[in-house]
Amino acid sequence: MNLDHLIFVVQENRSFDHYFGTYPGADGIPMNEKGVPTVCAPDPFLPRCVKPFHTSDLVNKGGPHNHQVSVISVNGGKMDGFLYALWRRCIEEKDAQGCIRKPDPDRVPDAMSYHDRREIPNYWRYADEFILQDRMFAPTDSWTLPAHLYLVSGWSAECGSPYDPMSCETELDFPDGLEGRPEYEWDPIFAWTDITWLLKKNDVSWAYYAGGVICTPNNMDECFERGTRRQQNVLAYFTDVHQTDQLENIKDHGEFFSAVEEGTLPSVSWIVPGRGGHSEHPSTHDPITEGQAYVTRLVNAVMRSDLWYDTAIFLTWDDWGGFYDHVPPPRVDEGGYGIRVPGLLISPWADRDLDIDHQTLSFDAYLKLIEDRFLDGQRLDPKTDGRPDSRPTVREEVDILGDLAKEFDFSQEPIEPIILDPTPHRD
């Protein structure tokens, strides 16, 4: 495999249908011959069933997104509970995001909305030129923290002891999150084994680029504006990262750009956004174009460098953010999968004949690719990885999980860099 660098860029809170539901050839929003959606979600307030609709609004509200809300939204596979989930959260939490205060026949919650090339032209251009994944499911039917835990470890759990990997049990809600812990104190919490244990063991370099600054006791104002939230900076809380002295591999975004420019980018990189509009999280109240610009600058930096021809960039979103999607997520274990999210491969070796990958994928496929490329296929398997834990499933070995290696063609002429304007003009 002609790849020395794997880069995983993880944005926030968008479903596949919300961003690519009308992309040609994708498994998008079901529509009739006139382009009218044939699916809908019942409105709990009014006698109507709301169809997905296009919105040109760049600031969206979305809806609640946790395990309970996911179950309600999926509704046993009917995929019609999105508005009911929004209503239920409003009853339970008066100030909940995206709430409906009273029935209004002229107002439709944007949880049922979708965007297209007009709002996110760069994302659609990447889909045109490289590979769009239309069966990328969030790894779990819950929110940001569990999704990011699965991203780097294939599991989400709470542990009776941070020093006993066998004391952990699956946890999807984390009702208290990581609240109460200072942003700058990274104490061990998660005792099970993450992928960095194997990377260290096999002398594979990695970095986790978390936000615009690394939080310290001396920069809390800047941390609040540009730092990364605890639920996204999860590697800082893994016991094995502490035990193997790898905390210095957690870096800020500026260090990513420097590493690209200097040719020192590690073999495996994760990039997660800091606070503010870069993340595309609806609660920031910032336009989605800010997130698109941030991602475009990351991609442009790699494309302009000597690293482009031995690199693969994977772009995805951590969960659905309350937005509608019509495809029922498969169940592989008690942890998931979750509702579909967008997924893209951006690489000079992306198979020109593939266009859209219809394999069933999840973040577990990222771990599988890392393991196959750099670890001779060693899995995060308690029986063989040298650090046993109590995980119920070796996620990389689930039968329905696709193989990202199938998206590459190393015999083709490489795709040349496509430098895009981070802030393109809207038609």
Side-chain angles (χ1 to χ4, degrees):
M1 185 179 290
N2 188 29
L3 295 172
D4 293 330
H5 304 282
L6 300 178
I7 301 172
F8 304 96
V9 182
V10 185
Q11 295 293 93
E12 289 202 280
N13 293 54
R14 304 287 163 168
S15 72
F16 184 88
D17 278 347
H18 180 63
Y19 266 8
F20 290 99
T22 58
Y23 189 87
D27 184 2
I29 301 166
M31 296 190 180
N32 62 23
E33 63 279 0
K34 296 182 179 180
V36 177
T38 58
V39 290
C40 63
D43 187 325
F45 287 108
L46 298 167
R48 64 182 180 182
C49 198
V50 178
K51 297 178 181 293
F53 63 94
H54 174 262
T55 180
S56 60
D57 293 340
L58 299 180
V59 177
N60 308 130
K61 293 183 178 179
H65 42 282
N66 58 27
H67 178 61
Q68 181 186 46
V69 167
S70 177
V71 172
I72 294 169
S73 300
V74 171
N75 192 20
K78 295 179 181 178
M79 306 305 290
D80 64 358
F82 292 83
L83 297 185
Y84 181 76
L86 182 63
W87 166 76
R88 178 168 179 168
R89 181 68 173 272
C90 292
I91 295 298
E92 295 173 353
E93 299 180 27
K94 293 182 180 180
D95 296 325
Q97 176 185 330
C99 273
I100 305 167
R101 298 304 170 202
K102 60 181 179 180
D104 183 352
D106 297 322
R107 181 180 183 273
V108 179
D110 69 10
M112 295 301 295
S113 70
Y114 64 84
H115 294 292
D116 59 24
R117 192 182 300 271
R118 288 168 286 184
E119 293 79 46
I120 46 174
N122 289 6
Y123 289 155
W124 277 51
R125 180 72 185 281
Y126 291 142
D128 294 341
E129 303 294 342
F130 301 101
I131 293 176
L132 176 66
Q133 300 152 343
D134 70 354
R135 285 185 62 81
M136 172 61 76
F137 294 92
T140 182
D141 49 355
S142 194
W143 63 293
T144 291
L145 175 56
H148 282 259
L149 291 171
Y150 273 101
L151 173 72
V152 297
S153 75
W155 195 24
S156 172
E158 281 194 319
C159 307
S161 166
Y163 298 101
D164 181 4
M166 301 303 294
S167 72
C168 307
E169 297 182 355
T170 299
E171 174 60 54
L172 303 182
D173 280 324
F174 291 98
D176 298 323
L178 296 177
E179 298 304 322
R181 301 176 185 275
E183 299 281 359
Y184 53 86
E185 288 188 7
W186 301 345
D187 54 323
I189 301 172
F190 306 124
W192 70 96
T193 306
D194 68 80
I195 192 66
T196 69
W197 162 264
L198 292 175
L199 296 177
K200 174 73 171 182
K201 190 176 179 180
N202 289 271
D203 296 319
V204 179
S205 60
W206 67 270
Y208 193 87
Y209 297 99
V213 298
I214 297 298
C215 296
T216 73
N218 300 319
N219 71 348
M220 294 312 295
D221 288 343
E222 191 176 17
C223 170
F224 185 79
E225 292 186 2
R226 301 176 56 219
T228 297
R229 298 299 302 273
R230 308 170 189 85
Q231 56 262 33
Q232 294 162 302
N233 191 16
V234 295
L235 279 177
Y237 299 96
F238 270 90
T239 301
D240 59 1
V241 175
H242 288 254
Q243 292 174 332
T244 54
D245 296 322
Q246 296 187 91
L247 284 173
E248 72 272 8
N249 292 2
I250 299 171
K251 304 176 183 293
D252 62 44
H253 291 165
E255 293 177 275
F256 171 79
F257 288 103
S258 296
V260 170
E261 184 178 355
E262 296 165 3
T264 59
L265 193 72
S267 297
V268 179
S269 300
W270 295 273
I271 307 175
V272 298
R275 290 179 172 89
H278 289 171
S279 73
E280 295 166 56
H281 195 297
S283 68
T284 66
H285 309 297
D286 292 304
I288 55 176
T289 46
E290 287 195 18
Q292 179 183 246
Y294 153 79
V295 171
T296 303
R297 292 186 180 101
L298 295 172
V299 175
N300 283 350
V302 176
M303 288 183 170
R304 288 189 172 111
S305 76
D306 294 336
L307 303 178
W308 170 243
Y309 294 101
D310 60 15
T311 295
I313 302 170
F314 293 91
L315 171 62
T316 193
W317 283 255
D318 62 359
D319 64 55
W320 82 108
F323 293 104
Y324 176 79
D325 194 83
H326 80 281
V327 176
R331 299 301 300 175
V332 297
D333 59 19
E334 64 177 317
Y337 296 145
I339 293 169
R340 273 194 320 172
V341 294
L344 289 158
L345 164 65
I346 303 168
S347 174
W349 307 108
D351 188 343
R352 282 191 173 93
D353 296 325
L354 185 55
D355 297 331
I356 299 175
D357 186 357
H358 302 298
Q359 294 184 94
T360 296
L361 300 169
S362 186
F363 295 3
D364 312 315
Y366 297 155
L367 293 173
K368 181 177 180 178
L369 184 67
I370 293 169
E371 294 160 353
D372 288 347
R373 171 60 186 90
F374 296 114
L375 303 174
D376 295 325
Q378 172 65 57
R379 304 297 184 220
L380 280 168
D381 185 338
K383 296 179 180 178
T384 60
D385 64 18
R387 191 176 184 274
D389 58 35
S390 54
R391 70 183 60 219
T393 310
V394 179
R395 278 290 196 95
E396 306 94 301
E397 294 296 317
V398 170
D399 288 341
I400 66 170
L401 183 67
D403 186 352
L404 289 170
K406 294 181 179 179
E407 295 185 356
F408 298 95
D409 181 357
F410 296 104
S411 66
Q412 70 184 18
E413 287 295 315
I415 301 170
E416 294 301 312
I418 300 167
I419 306 298
L420 302 182
D421 182 353
T423 57
H425 175 72
R426 290 183 66 198
D427 294 332

